[in-house]
Amino acid sequence: MRTMKIKCGYSMGFAGTDSEWTETVPEDVVAEGQEAIDAYLEEVQGGLWQEACEKISVWATIVE
């Protein structure tokens, strides 16, 4: 069975906040074909998005 890797990463939008790494797609996902791979990528992206959302803070306040 062939091994498939994906490159993951995120940036918080300014210097020094980029993070990138490689992960191996589970062999059973690869064996199931392109639809399973696409679904896996979507799941990984959703997890990264959720993690990034938990790491940032935003605010808006009235100052006058």
Side-chain angles (χ1 to χ4, degrees):
M1 195 170 298
R2 71 182 181 134
T3 300
M4 179 178 284
K5 294 188 181 279
I6 57 173
K7 187 167 281 197
C8 301
Y10 61 86
S11 172
M12 299 307 252
F14 51 95
T17 62
D18 292 358
S19 185
E20 188 172 89
W21 63 94
T22 302
E23 293 186 8
T24 301
V25 178
E27 289 181 4
D28 60 323
V29 172
V30 176
E32 290 180 30
Q34 192 61 49
E35 280 188 35
I37 294 167
D38 291 344
Y40 179 80
L41 285 173
E42 190 173 316
E43 183 180 321
V44 169
Q45 288 174 332
L48 290 170
W49 178 257
Q50 184 62 40
E51 183 178 337
C53 288
E54 291 171 1
K55 290 182 177 182
I56 63 171
S57 297
V58 297
W59 58 90
T61 59
I62 297 172
V63 293
E64 288 187 28

